[in-house]
Amino acid sequence: MERNWGLLVVTYLMLGGLSAGAMVISGLATYFGRQERYTVLARLGAFVAPFPVLLGSALLVFDLGRPLHFWKLFFAFEPQSPMWVGTWLLTLFTLVSLAYLDLFLPERLRLWNPARIEVWKNLLAAAGLPIGLGVGIYTGVLLGAVPARPFWNTPMVAQLFLFSALSTASALLMILVPAFERGAEADEGRRLLVSADVIFILLELLIIVPYILHGELSTRSARESLLMILGGPFTGLFWIGVVLLGLLVPLATEVVELVPVLARGRSFRPHRTVEIAAGLLVLIGGFLLRYVFVQAGQISSFG
Amino acid sequence: MSAVTLSRRRFLGAAGLVVAGSATAGCDRVRRFLQYSPSRAPSALVAGRANPADLFSICDNCVNKCGLRARVVDGRVVKLDPNPYFPKSRAMLCAKGNAGIKVVHDPDRLKHPLIRVGERGSGQWRKASWDEALDLVATRLKEVREAHGPQGVLFSSSEGFQERFFKTFAQAFGSPNVCRHPSLCLASSNLGFFITYGTVPEFDIENCRYIIMSGANRLESFITPDSIDLMSVLRTKKARLVYLDPRFTVTASKADEWLPIRPGTDLAFYLALINVLIVEGLYDRPFVESYTHGFEDLASHVRPFTPEWAAGETDIPADRIRSIAREFAYYAPRAVIYRGRRSSWYTNDTEMRQAMAIANALVGNWDRPGGVVPKESITLGGVELPEPPYPEASRCDGIEEAHPLSRSDDGAYLDLRDHVLADDPYPLRAWLIYKQNPMHALPDRRRTEAMFRKMDLVVVIDIMPTDSAWLADVILPESTYLERTDPVESFNTPYPFVAWRRQVVPPQFNTRTCLQIMQGLAGRLDLKQFFDYDIDRFIAAQLGPLGLHPEDFNATGMWTDQRTRPFGSTLTPEFRFRTPSGKIELASERLRRRGLDPLPRYVAPSRPADGRFRLIPGKQAWFTHAALQNNEWLHEICPENRLWINREEAERRRIAGGDWVVVRSSIGSVRIRAHVTDRIRPDCVHIPHGFGHRSPALRQVAGRGASDQDLIEPHEDRLSGNAALHETFVTVEKA
Amino acid sequence: MSHEGRVRTAPVERARRYAMVIDDRACLNCQACVVACKAENSVPIGSHRNWVTEVEKGRFPFVSVQMEPGQCMQCENPPCVRVCPTGASFIDPDGIVLVNAADCIGCRYCIEACPYGARYFHEESGTVDKCTFCRHRLDQGQEPACVVTCPTRARIFGDADDPDSEVARAIARNRVEGRKEEAGTRPNVFYLS
Ligand SMILES: Nc1nc2c(c(=O)[nH]1)N[C@H]1C(S)=C(S)[C@@H](COP(=O)(O)OP(=O)(O)OC[C@H]3O[C@@H](n4cnc5c(=O)[nH]c(N)nc54)[C@H](O)[C@@H]3O)O[C@H]1N2
Ligand SMILES: Nc1nc2c(c(=O)[nH]1)N[C@H]1C(S)=C(S)[C@@H](COP(=O)(O)OP(=O)(O)OC[C@H]3O[C@@H](n4cnc5c(=O)[nH]c(N)nc54)[C@H](O)[C@@H]3O)O[C@H]1N2
Ligand code: SF4
Ligand code: SF4
Ligand code: SF4
Ligand code: SF4
Ligand code: SF4
Ligand SMILES: [Mo]
């Protein structure tokens, strides 16, 4: 059955998350990291950040009933509407991330070449970081702010989507780093990504548990809506697709990768296949997570 | 209020400038505001208020003829609303009435005359002009008349304001073979009440306080104003409703008491009720003494029919029957046993209705507020033309001999079909059908189809390409009710008034009214003299004696000089009821004279053999019989019918809701989906009537659901000749 | 003051508060109101501004049937309006929640936000539509299409702020309740309880 919100919205939420995550990772790397291993991440993150969201926004506009009227979003003042806030957030994000990207380009390609480029990088990273977090949260708030859909209507959804955004972005970078960056510094960067992803996945798992507990202890409609993933149409997809393949399996492989480093203090030796496999699983899992939420939420009803 | 409006106006004025000036965020809001400025809304809503340009007319999507107002824009009907001044329908239009626009604009409707070119039933037609089509029909009618006499032509029709022209034509043509819908519908009920009261009465539900109904599904099968009044007295708790039906219908759901009676045993219930009324002395003794005849016969007749006996027949506990009888008597005369409308149920249906009539008479509710009331109506004038001579030949269906008490001019449809198929006593070779769909109205479609195939000429006058039209040789499309003006009609409920259906839009396609079609044929058959008028003259002649003119209907769409139901005109010692004894007959002298039992005789219905069910039909609120299923707005509500089967019986057969099942009777089988429900007794199943259309020209609904008429055996009520549609047993298996 | 056209919640200054009282026990599920609305408002096949469901309960012979007529509740605190990013959804001064099609971009967020499933996407216009309480009929002094046609008068309509109106009296005289009031929507469509 064709639901109100379909795959385009799912994809949009996924892409928004990827951009947000990439920006946050890059921003953190720029802001805190002086060593080259951080610069690798900052650079790649900056290169990635603007594009998924641009594509996503295009999809969203295309998904509108009247795409040519999208500009109305900008000629309204509706601060209580998550979508209106999100629209401005995304716009701001796109501008900041593009400017930020510009600064990482080789000099001859730069459109804007400020005198004190490192300061500007830091400034934009400082701005991009909260905006990126905002976008990551927004993808969840868009759903979470809807009281009519008990499946969505908990603060956990925003957190879940944020951590998933960070995790999927780490995964994407994990896959991309070796294609663009070589050497020991790059390897270190890759270690950082794997470690970060382990943390993000753990955080996601830590949220799914209270999400379910919260729902179970909540109103009847919330409890009933959870049946969607606890013995309903989306159970298999959620537990096998999202939790097992999207979270537990990549988590396990990543931990195995890190064990020699952590336990025996060895230097990190990345395995390309592991990176790609775990990364892809995380990405697919992230997509499925959004798919399950968007679809199941629309079936769940209040009261 | 005015200050508010003023300040708002001022604000609007200022805002208008902003709109013109710039495209800011505020401007959209201002536009919204302008669009819905409250100053445009008048201060008060008026219930039923209409646009003065709206036209009054009358719905024709079922027998009820509710008053409507039509909004017409650029020559198209865009909205139908109820006419609040119309006494009969009070202020309602049902879903079908609201869907009338789609009757005019059904993409599948008949738009021009069609002449069959392929085999009968092949669906190959060619468009024809009216002249060509009418010439053809007239020529073929002459051929049949030459070969078989005028009685060789059958005229069948169902009710409608223009049906009179069709009947006049039949009479002018000289055929006695006119067959109408009553013998599929209410002939037995009419007869049961007629032999008791000498008339067929109405029921004053509005003022009633206690109502007993047997399978009169008033809150789904609408009869106005009864349906409206019933819900109104129920919700205000002015009346109690005891409802007997093997099925928990919507009416049952609003009743104070639902009695899931064993199908076919209502007569036992009423005999026991009469027994209690008499044994306990609850009847209205003075009334019975002055106005009735045959009490002693009745009293001795019902002696054996105790509530205990009836409990075994009906499944209704004896003490319930007893207390219902007491309550009925307690609330009398504002208490009725409602007669229902469709009574094409069982082979002894007339006796059942007779028992209802008798029980009513016993409590003295006759012609009193809240009781059983005689019909009264306003007498209209008419055009002064020669009345065609009454046809010489006797009727083919033999109704005078087989059912002498029934109204012979309406015919007995199932007898007729048998006689036609057997060429007995003479052959019928042409069939004109007006506003009727015999392929769905009659039980056993195979036999009906055979009847079609017996004919050299079948002409169908309809608005839709029905299954019957599909088997015709010539299809003549009538203009729909919103496209034509019909004669004035004299209504009798809730009180006498007159109204007429007036054209709302001109015919949208190449269609004609029944009158025009009959005139076209009459002209070609030298019968012009019987139709020497047009509709306007006809109406003027009808209104003349009342001193009325068509314009007098402009304000309310109806006319009357009364405001309430008249009561009591028959409650004088001199009044003679039109019965042999001149009184209300508790024992029918009409029956006795024919050598029949003057009192209702109970014959226990056979019970379904193992694993079988009794099949009971009935209607849905969204369709009329086998009509309107193709209407897209109604189709959306219910795209197909389903077999109602008791949940436990279904579980035993591993049938789940929505599963396909095969239903078989002695005459055929159908495939249909199951509706598994606790709302029906385990010994019967129900198929809503009107689906299983075969005509592919009904593109929306062809092939959806199933027709009960592929299963129902052609039994009939002994006395009236009414069809007995509830006498069929079926098996149900998972498909 | 100058913002009242874009009222988010109950506006300070209201001309009226149009409301409906539905007696669901008098409802027959005859669907007259549904078809009337379809005709009055050119609602496309497959979409609905109002609906009636029939719920069966119990075991034979102890059964009951409940009719539930539904439509937009014309909430005082409408989540659909809150989430609308363009301001196309708004409350008019008579308390009716409307969509200004000119401003609607068809994001369908409001459809998700409505706890009653009262809104639908109109494929042809690309915008969202819903029950307007037949605003255009009110402007002519006519009651809504679904109200006038109902065979049992199960729907009573009028200005709840006018103590003399039938609807205000129905609210005052009976115990009425809104549906899903826990959602904080403060419906203006009431049901007899
Ligand atoms: N199994 C079963 N059989 C039944 C019944 C049942 O409940 N179950 N009900 C019985 C009852 S009560 C009755 S009254 C009969 C009814 O039997 P019919 O009178 O045959 O009933 P309808 O199906 O309403 O057919 C009316 C026809 O008139 C056409 N029509 C509508 N408007 C116009 C118009 O303006 N002009 C013309 N020319 N045609 C028009 C419609 O398209 C339709 O084909 O059926 C009986 N048969
Ligand atoms: N919506 C709608 N309204 C209509 C019509 C329509 O087609 N559609 N048709 C009009 C016409 S012409 C007519 S005649 C009337 C018909 O209206 P009704 O006289 O109400 O007839 P049905 O709708 O056929 O319903 C018959 C009921 O009898 C029940 N029944 C079956 N067997 C028994 C039994 O043995 N005992 C008892 N007590 N009940 C039993 C069935 O379950 C069913 O509910 O409706 C009129 N109004
Ligand atoms: S009951 Fe419905 S279909 Fe019949 S006349 Fe009235 S509005 Fe028309
Ligand atoms: S019109 Fe009235 S009775 Fe019929 S379904 Fe609607 S609310 Fe119920
Ligand atoms: S019912 Fe739904 S659409 Fe109507 S006002 Fe309330 S939230 Fe909005
Ligand atoms: S679909 Fe239209 S009315 Fe609904 S939230 Fe989007 S812009 Fe507002
Ligand atoms: S008030 Fe008007 S728009 Fe709303 S449901 Fe009724 S008919 Fe439809
Ligand atoms: Mo009938």
Side-chain angles (χ1 to χ4, degrees), chain A residues 5-263:
Chain A
W5 280 351
L7 278 180
L8 284 180
V9 171
V10 175
T11 314
Y12 155 75
L13 294 178
M14 174 78 187
L15 294 175
L18 277 177
S19 279
M23 183 73 221
V24 169
I25 291 168
S26 167
L28 284 171
T30 303
Y31 209 67
F32 296 111
R34 289 286 166 268
Q35 299 101 319
E36 176 58 19
R37 62 168 188 256
Y38 291 110
T39 321
V40 168
L41 297 186
R43 188 160 50 231
L44 200 61
F47 284 158
V48 166
F51 298 107
V53 80
L54 272 174
L55 179 61
S57 302
L59 290 180
L60 192 68
V61 168
F62 181 71
D63 192 45
L64 292 178
R66 301 204 301 168
L68 296 179
H69 289 73
F70 80 95
W71 54 266
K72 294 221 153 94
L73 287 164
F74 300 100
F75 287 87
F77 181 70
E78 305 293 340
Q80 78 299 318
S81 165
M83 190 179 279
W84 185 84
V85 174
T87 305
W88 281 107
L89 257 178
L90 288 184
T91 311
L92 209 61
F93 179 91
T94 310
L95 293 176
V96 169
S97 63
L98 280 172
Y100 182 64
L101 160 72
D102 188 60
L103 299 181
F104 281 90
L105 289 174
E107 199 176 334
R108 62 194 161 80
L109 292 177
R110 252 178 243 155
L111 294 177
W112 175 52
N113 211 349
R116 292 149 68 197
I117 192 154
E118 289 308 317
V119 175
W120 277 107
K121 267 189 195 169
N122 275 335
L123 272 175
L124 285 178
L129 204 72
I131 299 175
L133 284 174
V135 169
I137 291 172
Y138 160 65
T139 59
V141 166
L142 185 73
L143 306 184
V146 174
R149 306 286 179 208
F151 194 81
W152 295 343
N153 190 219
T154 107
M156 262 79 86
V157 173
Q159 299 170 35
L160 186 59
F161 274 47
L162 173 64
F163 294 131
S164 170
L166 292 168
S167 166
T168 48
S170 320
L172 181 64
L173 295 182
M174 216 153 75
I175 295 172
L176 291 181
V177 172
F180 297 98
E181 312 274 351
R182 296 277 145 75
E185 299 300 336
D187 286 357
E188 272 303 281
R190 289 155 84 175
R191 180 180 67 79
L192 283 174
L193 283 174
V194 172
S195 322
D197 197 30
V198 166
I199 295 169
F200 296 143
I201 291 181
L202 284 173
L203 284 171
E204 281 184 73
L205 287 169
L206 277 179
I207 284 174
I208 288 177
V209 174
Y211 171 78
I212 289 174
L213 282 180
H214 178 269
E216 280 298 318
L217 298 174
S218 178
T219 55
R220 183 178 50 87
S221 41
R223 217 162 46 237
E224 276 169 9
S225 76
L226 274 183
L227 284 178
M228 224 73 76
I229 52 167
L230 302 174
F234 295 99
T235 310
L237 206 55
F238 183 76
W239 291 105
I240 297 177
V242 177
V243 177
L244 183 66
L245 296 178
L247 297 175
L248 294 177
V249 172
L251 177 68
T253 41
E254 286 170 358
V255 168
V256 169
E257 283 268 283
L258 289 175
V259 165
V261 186
L262 297 176

Side-chain angles (χ1 to χ4, degrees), chain B residues 330-438:
Chain B
Y330 172 81
Y331 286 105
R334 290 180 188 266
V336 295
I337 296 168
Y338 183 83
R339 80 184 179 103
R341 181 169 162 104
R342 183 172 72 78
S343 61
S344 43
W345 289 14
Y346 300 96
T347 51
N348 63 342
D349 197 85
T350 300
E351 283 116 304
M352 196 270 265
R353 311 289 158 175
Q354 185 193 3
M356 289 175 153
I358 292 170
N360 275 311
L362 280 177
V363 296
N365 62 16
W366 173 256
D367 205 3
R368 312 207 8 214
V372 181
V373 289
K375 283 182 184 151
E376 285 191 34
S377 52
I378 295 169
T379 309
L380 297 168
V383 287
E384 275 166 36
L385 281 180
E387 171 89 347
Y390 204 78
E392 285 155 28
S394 65
R395 295 182 57 94
C396 170
D397 59 7
I399 185 171
E400 279 106 343
E401 298 79 49
H403 313 286
L405 292 165
S406 242
R407 272 191 68 158
S408 62
D409 47 350
D410 285 343
Y413 225 133
L414 294 183
D415 289 329
L416 173 76
R417 190 175 63 186
D418 290 344
H419 284 261
V420 170
L421 290 177
D423 285 337
D424 168 30
Y426 51 79
L428 294 190
R429 284 296 177 269
W431 187 3
L432 266 64
I433 304 174
Y434 175 67
K435 208 171 183 280
Q436 190 179 60
N437 187 358

